[in-house]
Amino acid sequence: MKEILYNEVSDAQIHFRILLNALAHPGSIYDFPKMELTPPNNIHLASICIGFALMNADVSFAVQNENEVEIAHYLALNTGASIATLEQADYLFTTGNTDPSSITSLKTGTLSYPENSATLIIDVNQLSSSPAINALAIELSGPGIENTTTVYVNGLSSTLLEAIQEQNTEFPLGLDIMLTDNHNQLACIPRSSTIAFPLTSNRYS
Amino acid sequence: MVENKKYVNKYNFAFIDEATKKEIRRKLLKAIAIPGYQVPYSSPEMPIARGWGTGGLHVTLAIIGADDIFKIIDQGSDASVNACNLRNFVRDMTGVKTTFDTAEATIIQTRHRITEEELQANQIFVYQVPQPEPLRGVERYENKTRQMHGEADYAKMWVSLYEQFITHGDIMLGAGYPVKVNDRYIMAPSPIPRWDVPNLNHSKAIHLFGAGREKRLYAVPPHTKVEALEFEDVKFHIENFNGTKCVKTGYHKAFLDELYFDDGSKHFLINDSNFLDKLSENLQPVQHSNPYLNQIKDEKN
Amino acid sequence: MGYVAVKGGSDAIHNSLELVEFYRLKDAVQPLEIEQIKGQLRLAVDKVMGEGGLYSQEYAAIALKQAEGEVFEAAFIIRAFRTTLQRRFYSETINTRDMFVKRKISASFREIPGGQILGPTRDYSQRILDSSKAFETIEDVKKFVEYFKLSVDENQLQEIIQYGKVIDLLANEGLLKPINPKEDRKLVDITREAIKFPAPRSARLQMLARAETGGLMAMGYSSMRGFGSVHPTVGELRYGQVPVKLKDPSGRIRYIGKIEVTEAEMIASTSVSKKTEIPSYTVGYGLCFGQNDTKVICMGILDTTMRNPDASMPANDQEFVLYHTEGIESMGFTNHLKLPHYVTFQSGLKNIREAIERKTATQTQTSPSKAE
C-alpha cells in the first residue's frame, strides 16, 4: 500500500508544474505522465498524483467515493495528511456524479483569508477540447483565458457543477476544482473563472 | 587533511525541504485562483539576507526542476552582483542550466524590472518583492489592510492619489505603481518602473510574486486584466524619455538608464542588459507591445 | 568611462569574499578553536543560539568564528542552517519547575523558598577594565579551576532540588489573573506559518523568544520610561538546565538531553476583571536559550504591554514590537538599501522633475513680475 516508486522530490515537482499550468489556463487539458503506482480501485491515477504532490502532515482531506475507506487510508499512509470531515477538509477527492448536497459543507474561506478553502479533485470519465456525446460543454472566461474556451466533460453532473458555481458567487470566497479522467488527463477551474454550461432539464427535485 | 565527515553539508535539491516546498506550492495555486490576493506563507530563512530576494528565491526553488533554464536579473542586469550571488545559489542547489538570454529561459527571476523582450506562454516570471502591501503607505497596520482588501474598501488609496494630484499636479508614484487585478484586488507589482506596468496586462506568461520578509505570495495568471490606478481625467502614464536615446544603439523605445561619465556629461543606455546586447548584435528581439509604448513615435536616427 | 552600471558581478563577489577571509586571517597568530569560543565567549554563543533559534553551542560557536564575531551575522547563519534541518519530533512541554537551578532571584519578596541564589552573574561586579586578562596563561587557568574545585566541599553536596515558583505562591493566594484558554492556550507555530494579527499569545512569545536582544531592550526600556504602560517587578528570574523529553512511536516518554534557559516572570500592574471587578496581577513571561537576563526581562515586560489595547504607545503595539524586533529581518531590510535602486530612483526622478516644471510654469504665469 505504501508506494516506493514515487520520487518525492522530482515527481512532486513535475506534477506541481502541470497543476500550476492547468490552474493558470483554466479549461485547457494537460497530460499526467504514466506512473508505476498501484492506487486502490475507483480513483484515477492522476488524482492520486495530485494528492501526493500537494498533501502532507500539514493538511487534511476527505474522500466521497464508493471506495472511500480504502482510498482515504491509502492517501493518509502515503502523504501523512489527516482525514477530516467535509467541513474541515482542505482537499476533497470525489467523483463527477457525487451527491451535490455535500458541496455546501466545504470551506470557502473568509474575506480576510479566502485561501482557507477546499480544493476539489473530481474524477470524471473523459475530458475533451472538442464536442463529444453526453459531454457537458463548459464555456469558461476570466483570468488565464484569452477570450473564452470550452471544455467538454463526460461524467460530471451539471447539478454538481451548479452547486460548486453557487459556492463561487461571492468571489474571493469559493472552491477550486481539478478534474481528472480515465486517460490520465487534467483540467482545472479556479474560482476566478466565469463558467456557463447547459443546466439539467429537470430542476424540480 | 583528514576529511571531517561530521560537518559535511548535504542539501536537498533546491535547498528547501520538501514540506516547505509543498506549502509554497499549495499557496501558489491558491494565489493563481485569486489573482492579486496576498497569501501568507511560512517563509523560512535562507542563506540570503531578508530584503535581498528570499521571497523570489522561495518561489523559484519551490517550482524549479532539473530541466528548467534559469535567468535572473537585478534592475535589468544579469551581471549585477546580487543577481550573480542568487544565480550561483540556485545553480549550486539545483544544477540547472542558467542563461542571460531572455528567450531561452523558462523561469526568470527579477528584481524590479520586467524584460523588454516579450514573455511567452511557456515562461514563468518570478518577482522579488520588498513590500507586498500596496496600501501600506496609507494604512500601517496589517490587520486593517487585510480587512480593506477583503471588503474591497480602497477609499484611502484613492484619496491619497487625489491628494498627490492636488499638491503636485499629477500622481507622484514612480516605481511600484499600484494596479487593480481582475477588477478586484489592488496589488503591488513590486518596484518595477511605470514603463513595465502595462506589460502585466493580458500577458502570455505566468507572473508569481514572492515577498520573503513580509511572508506573502501572490500571482497574476496569463491573460488577466491588470490596470494601473488612474482617474478619468488624471491618467496613468509611463516615464517620458522624449529627446533621449541609447548612446550605444540609438534606440529610444526602451527604459533607459541615466549615466554620468567622468567628464560630467550625461548619457542614456538601455537598462535591460540582454535586450541591449541583442540590439547591439543586430538581433531582432520581440519587444513587449502595449498602448503606451505604441504611442511613442518612431524617430529617425 | 564614468559611472558604469555594476558589472563583472561574479568576479567582484569572488574577490570580496577572498578579501574578507584575508582580513579574518591575516593577523591570526593561531586559529581560534571552537572549544575556546564555546567556553570563553559563552554569552555570545548563548545570544547567537537565542536569536538563531537553534540550540547548539557548537554550531553557534562556528557561526561566530565564521562571522568574525558579528552577532547579527552569526545568528543569521544559524537561522539559515536551522531551515535545512528536518523536524522529526515535537518535545513534551518543558516545565521549568524541573529546572536544575544555577541562579534564582526575586525582587518581589525579600525571602523566597530555597532562598535568593545569585549564581553566576556580573550584576554586582564593578565594570573596571581588567588588563590582567591580556596576560592569562594556561597555567593561570588550570590553577584557578583547581582552586575552585577544591573549595567545593563534596560532603555538602545535595541531590538536585527543584524549587517551587514565586508565582505559585501568588496563584495559591488567588492574586493572579486566571488563565484565558482562548488567549493563553491557542498554539501556533510561527516557523510554519506567517504571523497574523492580532496574534495569539503563543505566537507573540515565540517571536519574542528569538527576537534581537537590543531591539527588545529598546522597546522594554521605552515602556518603563512612559512610552508604554508597564513598569513591573521581577517576580522570579531563573537560569539553569531543563530536561528535554519526547514521546517515542510506542508512546513512551524518553529523556533526550538538557538545555540551558533563562526565564523571567514579571509581575505587572493590577488589572480589574470586568466580570467580577476583583483586581489581580498579570504575569509577563520571558524565556530564551542560554543565559540572557536582559532579554527575558524585556520579554516579560513586552508580553504584558502587548496585551494592552492602547496601541498609541509603541511598546503596546503588537505589530510594531514583533515586526521590528525580528533581528534577521530588520538587519536584512535595513541593509538592502545598499542594493542598486537606480531604476526605482530614475522613475522617481522623472516625477520630481516634471512636478518642478509644472510648479515653476504656474508660478511664472501667476506672477510674471517675480520671474527672473
Side-chain angles (χ1 to χ4, degrees):
Chain A
M1 284 280 252
K2 180 100 170 82
E3 301 285 2
I4 50 172
L5 290 179
Y6 181 84
N7 186 313
E8 206 204 4
V9 179
S10 54
D11 287 330
Q13 184 271 329
I14 292 168
H15 297 168
F16 165 73
R17 289 289 283 276
I18 296 171
L19 290 171
L20 180 67
N21 275 326
L23 210 55
H25 299 93
S28 293
I29 299 172
Y30 292 82
D31 291 301
F32 262 90
K34 219 66 198 89
M35 299 287 293
E36 292 297 316
L37 300 177
T38 48
N41 286 338
N42 221 47
I43 186 161
H44 290 145
L45 176 65
S47 300
I48 293 299
C49 288
I50 295 172
F52 281 20
L54 298 181
M55 302 205 300
N56 63 3
D58 297 331
V59 299
S60 64
F61 70 101
V63 184
Q64 268 209 332
N65 188 304
E66 278 164 18
N67 192 16
E68 59 191 45
V69 173
E70 202 191 335
I71 292 170
H73 179 71
Y74 173 81
L75 285 171
L77 180 67
N78 280 287
T79 65
S82 51
I83 301 168
T85 61
L86 287 176
E87 288 79 6
Q88 301 161 330
D90 298 311
Y91 294 91
L92 174 66
F93 294 84
T94 188
T95 58
N97 54 12
T98 203
D99 180 6
S101 63
S102 53
I103 298 300
T104 49
S105 307
L106 299 167
K107 298 190 292 196
T108 54
T110 62
L111 288 179
S112 284
Y113 297 99
E115 78 278 14
N116 281 346
S117 47
T119 301
L120 281 74
I121 296 117
I122 305 176
D123 283 25
V124 300
N125 298 334
Q126 171 89 56
L127 296 164
S128 173
S129 50
S130 45
I133 310 167
N134 286 334
L136 186 64
I138 309 172
E139 191 188 73
L140 305 100
S141 58
I145 305 160
E146 202 175 358
N147 303 314
T148 65
T149 192
T150 306
V151 64
Y152 300 87
V153 186
N154 185 308
L156 175 66
S157 92
S158 59
T159 39
L160 179 62
L161 194 57
E162 263 175 66
I164 294 168
Q165 189 184 37
E166 181 69 32
Q167 295 304 98
N168 289 356
T169 46
E170 286 175 42
F171 188 85
L173 309 180
L175 306 164
D176 307 305
I177 68 179
M178 300 176 172
L179 303 166
T180 63
D181 75 1
N182 289 329
H183 300 87
N184 219 18
Q185 298 186 115
L186 164 79
C188 293
I189 305 178
R191 72 193 73 181
S192 57
S193 294
T194 305
I195 59 175
F197 53 97
L199 303 172
T200 40
S201 48
N202 182 0
R203 292 194 66 216
Y204 305 121
S205 48
Chain B
M1 188 180 119
V2 178
E3 194 198 348
N4 191 337
K5 287 208 161 70
K6 184 177 182 188
Y7 296 115
V8 166
N9 295 323
K10 294 187 191 90
Y11 295 109
N12 193 27
F13 176 82
F15 186 78
I16 301 174
D17 65 281
E18 293 306 314
T20 305
K21 281 186 202 170
K22 275 191 181 176
E23 187 226 346
I24 294 172
R25 291 168 183 167
R26 289 192 294 263
K27 304 257 165 98
L28 286 174
L29 293 180
K30 290 292 178 190
I32 286 280
I34 312 168
Y37 162 73
Q38 304 163 50
V39 186
Y41 80 114
S42 65
S43 185
E45 279 85 5
M46 301 288 277
I48 307 289
R50 291 296 196 193
W52 296 58
T54 54
L57 273 184
H58 283 143
V59 175
T60 294
L61 294 171
I63 71 175
I64 201 164
D67 295 334
D68 278 301
I69 301 175
F70 180 64
K71 172 180 163 90
I72 176 166
I73 50 176
D74 184 335
Q75 307 271 295
S77 170
D78 302 82
S80 182
V81 269
N82 205 48
C84 288
N85 194 22
L86 299 184
R87 179 184 306 108
N88 292 343
F89 181 66
V90 173
R91 190 198 52 223
D92 291 345
M93 290 298 157
T94 63
V96 299
K97 180 174 178 208
T98 63
T99 183
F100 280 24
D101 182 349
T102 304
E104 197 192 355
T106 56
I107 297 177
I108 301 175
Q109 184 171 323
T110 183
R111 179 170 169 267
H112 309 351
R113 276 242 52 204
I114 299 181
T115 54
E116 297 287 349
E117 189 169 351
E118 193 189 41
L119 297 167
Q120 302 306 320
N122 70 326
Q123 294 180 307
I124 300 178
F125 208 65
V126 178
Y127 297 75
Q128 295 171 206
V129 180
Q131 176 50 270
E133 181 48 72
L135 307 175
R136 191 59 70 226
V138 299
E139 174 50 66
R140 65 174 77 136
Y141 287 106
E142 166 62 18
N143 68 344
K144 291 215 180 81
T145 51
R146 191 144 280 270
Q147 196 180 359
M148 286 157 78
H149 283 293
E151 294 166 8
D153 173 13
Y154 293 126
K156 267 191 172 179
M157 175 60 107
W158 288 106
V159 168
S160 161
L161 296 180
Y162 174 72
E163 283 170 355
Q164 287 173 33
F165 169 69
I166 291 300
T167 312
H168 300 289
D170 198 1
I171 294 170
M172 291 299 280
L173 302 171
Y177 198 100
V179 296
K180 197 161 225 211
V181 179
N182 191 31
D183 287 321
R184 178 54 179 82
Y185 280 96
I186 290 185
M187 183 188 93
S190 86
I192 52 178
R194 281 170 285 141
W195 186 269
D196 293 343
V197 169
N199 296 332
L200 276 165
N201 188 36
H202 286 282
S203 168
K204 294 176 189 165
I206 295 173
H207 297 259
L208 303 176
F209 297 79
R213 188 183 49 86
E214 293 281 336
K215 305 185 183 17
R216 301 285 186 269
L217 300 169
Y218 48 106
V220 177
H223 306 296
T224 301
K225 188 176 178 191
V226 178
E227 316 167 282
L229 300 188
E230 60 184 3
F231 297 99
E232 266 185 41
D233 53 348
V234 184
K235 294 288 196 185
F236 168 81
H237 55 86
I238 59 178
E239 288 87 356
N240 180 349
F241 287 102
N242 281 349
T244 57
K245 59 184 187 216
C246 173
V247 66
K248 194 166 177 196
T249 61
Y251 191 68
H252 69 288
K253 267 189 169 184
F255 189 90
L256 302 173
D257 285 334
E258 198 171 300
L259 314 172
Y260 286 89
F261 285 9
D262 286 338
D263 63 1
S265 60
K266 183 157 76 171
H267 299 269
F268 292 84
L269 190 70
I270 290 176
N271 166 271
D272 181 331
S273 58
N274 185 242
F275 194 72
L276 172 64
D277 288 344
K278 285 180 174 172
L279 287 185
S280 305
E281 288 159 36
N282 290 318
L283 298 171
Q284 317 257 334
V286 176
Q287 194 176 8
H288 272 113
S289 160
N290 65 61
Y292 302 89
L293 204 56
N294 296 343
Q295 264 175 12
I296 300 173
K297 292 197 185 66
D298 286 321
E299 273 178 16
K300 303 243 171 1
N301 276 356
Chain C
M1 233 191 20
Y3 172 93
V4 177
V6 187
K7 273 195 153 116
S10 275
D11 290 342
I13 294 175
H14 177 78
N15 292 339
S16 75
L17 294 177
E18 293 213 317
L19 252 180
V20 102
E21 188 73 340
F22 178 69
Y23 277 122
R24 187 175 74 83
L25 296 175
K26 65 181 171 57
D27 296 330
V29 178
Q30 183 84 288
L32 289 170
E33 283 171 48
I34 298 306
E35 288 307 309
Q36 289 178 306
I37 299 173
K38 261 173 71 177
Q40 297 171 65
L41 295 181
R42 174 178 65 99
L43 299 175
V45 168
D46 285 350
K47 199 177 256 191
V48 171
M49 290 198 298
E51 293 170 17
L54 180 74
Y55 196 89
S56 166
Q57 285 105 336
E58 190 171 32
Y59 284 119
I62 294 173
L64 270 168
K65 181 176 173 180
Q66 186 179 333
E68 293 179 79
E70 224 285 12
V71 176
F72 286 112
E73 189 70 30
F76 176 14
I77 291 169
I78 291 299
R79 250 335 151 84
F81 179 66
R82 181 196 180 281
T83 310
T84 66
L85 302 172
Q86 198 187 338
R87 179 180 300 192
R88 297 180 194 277
F89 304 100
Y90 287 91
S91 75
E92 297 290 295
T93 308
I94 296 175
N95 190 338
T96 50
R97 288 174 187 78
D98 295 337
M99 184 187 281
F100 174 39
V101 163
K102 297 186 182 181
R103 170 168 161 70
K104 179 170 81 76
I105 55 156
S106 172
S108 311
F109 297 97
R110 186 168 152 163
E111 203 57 68
I112 50 177
Q116 303 264 11
I117 305 172
L118 275 187
T121 178
R122 291 186 173 79
D123 282 351
Y124 303 103
S125 66
Q126 291 125 34
R127 273 71 165 189
I128 297 175
L129 185 67
D130 179 7
S131 46
S132 75
K133 292 280 179 290
F135 305 106
E136 254 178 354
T137 64
I138 188 68
E139 281 72 35
D140 293 331
V141 170
K142 282 182 181 164
K143 214 165 99 178
F144 177 79
V145 174
E146 268 303 307
Y147 144 78
F148 187 88
K149 283 185 177 165
L150 285 173
S151 62
V152 173
D153 181 357
E154 301 258 325
N155 299 321
Q156 296 268 348
L157 292 178
Q158 303 159 317
E159 39 178 85
I160 294 171
I161 305 171
Q162 271 130 6
Y163 299 96
K165 287 194 167 184
V166 170
I167 57 162
D168 291 342
L169 304 172
L170 297 173
N172 288 340
E173 213 189 305
L175 288 167
L176 290 187
K177 192 168 169 203
I179 305 253
N180 178 348
K182 270 203 285 190
E183 163 74 351
D184 297 313
R185 291 275 181 263
K186 183 174 175 199
L187 193 59
V188 298
D189 183 342
I190 53 122
T191 65
R192 303 298 259 189
E193 51 183 283
I195 192 168
K196 299 177 172 109
F197 291 96
R201 194 161 176 226
S202 66
R204 303 193 308 253
L205 289 173
Q206 286 167 45
M207 298 279 293
L208 291 176
R210 52 183 215 169
E212 199 271 316
T213 304
L216 288 180
M217 192 173 72
M219 299 300 314
Y221 182 46
S222 79
S223 172
M224 295 172 67
R225 287 198 69 254
F227 289 90
S229 46
V230 167
H231 187 140
T233 318
V234 174
E236 186 163 0
L237 184 143
R238 300 187 168 201
Y239 160 62
Q241 292 166 328
V242 288
V244 180
K245 302 177 188 170
L246 50 83
K247 211 175 259 185
D248 71 14
S250 72
R252 273 162 63 193
I253 306 288
R254 307 284 213 157
Y255 167 81
I256 59 163
K258 53 186 186 265
I259 60 172
E260 287 195 347
V261 298
T262 311
E263 180 195 54
E265 282 156 340
M266 308 297 291
I267 299 171
S269 52
T270 54
S271 73
V272 183
S273 149
K274 281 199 186 111
K275 261 194 263 173
T276 61
E277 293 183 344
I278 298 174
S280 61
Y281 282 117
T282 47
V283 175
Y285 190 76
L287 182 85
C288 71
F289 288 149
Q291 184 173 11
N292 193 338
D293 290 358
T294 307
K295 182 160 175 175
V296 296
I297 289 171
C298 293
M299 281 179 72
I301 296 173
L302 294 169
D303 181 30
T304 311
T305 57
M306 286 195 288
R307 280 186 255 168
N308 188 324
D310 174 16
S312 65
M313 306 285 206
N316 295 359
D317 184 339
Q318 284 186 15
E319 285 195 34
F320 189 87
V321 171
L322 297 177
Y323 276 139
H324 305 128
T325 54
E326 199 337 281
I328 272 69
E329 287 171 14
S330 329
M331 181 186 101
F333 203 52
T334 46
N335 278 277
H336 109 285
L337 294 174
K338 294 179 282 194
L339 288 175
H341 281 76
Y342 47 86
V343 170
T344 325
F345 193 65
Q346 176 68 228
S347 201
L349 260 181
K350 295 230 172 271
N351 276 332
I352 287 218
R353 283 173 177 155
E354 283 161 22
I356 292 171
E357 266 175 47
R358 277 192 299 273
K359 270 293 170 188
T360 45
T362 9
Q363 279 165 3
T364 322
Q365 269 179 346
T366 51
S367 45
S369 56
K370 288 191 187 144
E372 279 306 321

